[in-house]
Amino acid sequence: GHTTSNDTSIIEIDEEVEERNEVLKAIKEDGLALESTSIAMRGDREIVLEAVKQNWKQLAYASDELKGDREVVLEACNQMRGMALAFASMDLKNDRKFVLQAVRTHGWV
């Protein structure tokens, strides 16, 4: 048979899914794995959430969009009483209500 462009895109999708699964597995085993992943993986919410659950400092390697994601930043704050706010987006840092929530939840206020 001959290969159509459709077949190629299916192979690419399979490779992306496989890469994502490998990255997720690596992060569950070693939370520091995020810093050595591709830009695409750093923008994957599930992968970044898992990474910051393992090690809050991994928020530094998340995409800009995810540094502005309340749940992701709060998850990172869960570990170090708000220290992760240093890596949060400016929008979140300037959101007084969010900052108070982050530090209140984790024992600073």
Side-chain angles (χ1 to χ4, degrees):
H2 65 286
T3 305
T4 66
S5 62
N6 244 0
D7 292 339
T8 307
S9 62
I10 290 170
I11 291 167
E12 287 172 10
I13 290 169
D14 284 348
E15 287 173 359
E16 286 174 25
V17 168
E18 191 174 319
E19 178 192 4
R20 187 177 181 281
N21 289 340
E22 285 177 21
V23 168
L24 203 50
K25 183 178 180 224
I27 284 173
K28 286 180 180 180
E29 292 171 6
D30 174 11
L32 301 178
L34 187 62
E35 62 193 88
S36 57
T37 63
S38 69
I39 298 295
M41 294 297 128
R42 294 176 188 202
D44 184 302
R45 194 168 189 277
E46 183 184 0
I47 285 174
V48 172
L49 259 174
E50 189 59 43
V52 300
K53 283 179 186 175
Q54 301 288 329
N55 185 314
W56 67 274
K57 291 180 181 177
Q58 293 304 290
L59 184 59
Y61 302 101
S63 68
D64 288 345
E65 181 184 344
L66 291 176
K67 286 178 182 176
D69 183 300
R70 291 168 184 270
E71 185 183 351
V72 171
V73 174
L74 282 175
E75 186 59 54
C77 289
N78 272 335
Q79 299 203 13
M80 274 307 285
R81 295 188 172 197
M83 293 288 287
L85 285 173
F87 300 121
S89 71
M90 286 310 292
D91 284 347
L92 285 185
K93 287 180 190 177
N94 291 329
D95 183 334
R96 181 175 160 78
K97 190 174 176 184
F98 176 79
V99 171
L100 284 173
Q101 178 187 4
V103 295
R104 221 180 249 132
T105 306
H106 309 293
W108 279 8
V109 175

